[in-house]
Amino acid sequence: MKLPKADRVGRVSVEEALTERRTVRSFSSKLLDVRQLSQVLWAGQGITGAWGKRTAPSAGALYPSFLYAATGRGTAAGIEPGLYRYVPEDHSLSIVSQRDIRGELARSCLSQTWMARAPVSLVICSDYGRITGKYGERGIRYAMIEAGHIAQNIFIEAAAIGLSAGIVGAFIDGEAIKAMGIPQSHTPLLIMPVGYKG
Ligand SMILES: Cc1cc2nc3c(=O)[nH]c(=O)nc-3n(C[C@H](O)[C@H](O)[C@H](O)COP(=O)(O)O)c2cc1C
């Protein structure tokens, strides 16, 4: 599913977005606009330059990160419930499953049930194999640092377009992978519920 082109100009300064950024754990049931979803995904992993270079830096430009979006009936008009993988190459969403996994995902996060009330949860995963070939064990460190950059981009973009985000690192890896039904090689590193602050 092709996403609307992400805006390159906003109405909020970087400084204002940085000041606004806060971990939010309470979301309203207000629907998102598909353009908002497009914007936060692009901020996380969008392609912005030659050779596929992205919004977030990546050691050796190897891009081991994968960004998933878990949606439900109350996410955005035109977006079916399910799990999607963001495809930076053509700024699209690729369907992984048609199940709303937000509740199960929240349970995998030591039952942080507040997460399931966000219209969408973005999951930053890393395929370490894509980076350890070049950097060995150190590649794992680089992959984790990269996930942090992606998360901050999402935080700042959310703040810039009037949304809020949470960030969750406390989950059982195996349970999160099972909830998502993704390959074992896509290690989840951070989960970010995104929506309007409630
Ligand atoms: C790596 C990482 C993991 C985190 N995991 C959780 C989590 O599992 N649950 C949660 O509610 N907050 C989590 N947080 C959010 C922190 O509690 C939050 O960033 C901190 O309290 C500072 O607040 P602020 O982000 O609003 O400035 C995490 C933050 C980071 C950076």
Side-chain angles (χ1 to χ4, degrees), residues 21-25 112 114 155 167-171 189-190:
R21 186 216 67 81
R22 203 88 284 149
T23 296
V24 163
R25 301 179 182 85
Q112 298 190 60
W114 58 270
F155 258 135
I167 184 164
V168 170
F171 50 82
L189 292 176
L190 288 166

Side-chain angles (χ1 to χ4, degrees), residues 9 38 40 53 59 65-66 85 89 94 102-103 121 124 131 147 153 158 168 176-177 188 198:
V9 180
S38 161
V40 286
K53 298 230 168 159
S65 304
F66 288 83
R85 184 172 55 82
E89 286 72 19
S94 169
R102 291 172 303 166
S121 271
I124 304 167
I131 194 159
N153 283 1
V168 170
I177 289 175

Side-chain angles (χ1 to χ4, degrees), residues 12 15-22 159:
V12 171
E15 292 78 8
E16 286 167 322
L18 283 167
T19 307
E20 276 300 309
R21 186 216 67 81
R22 203 88 284 149

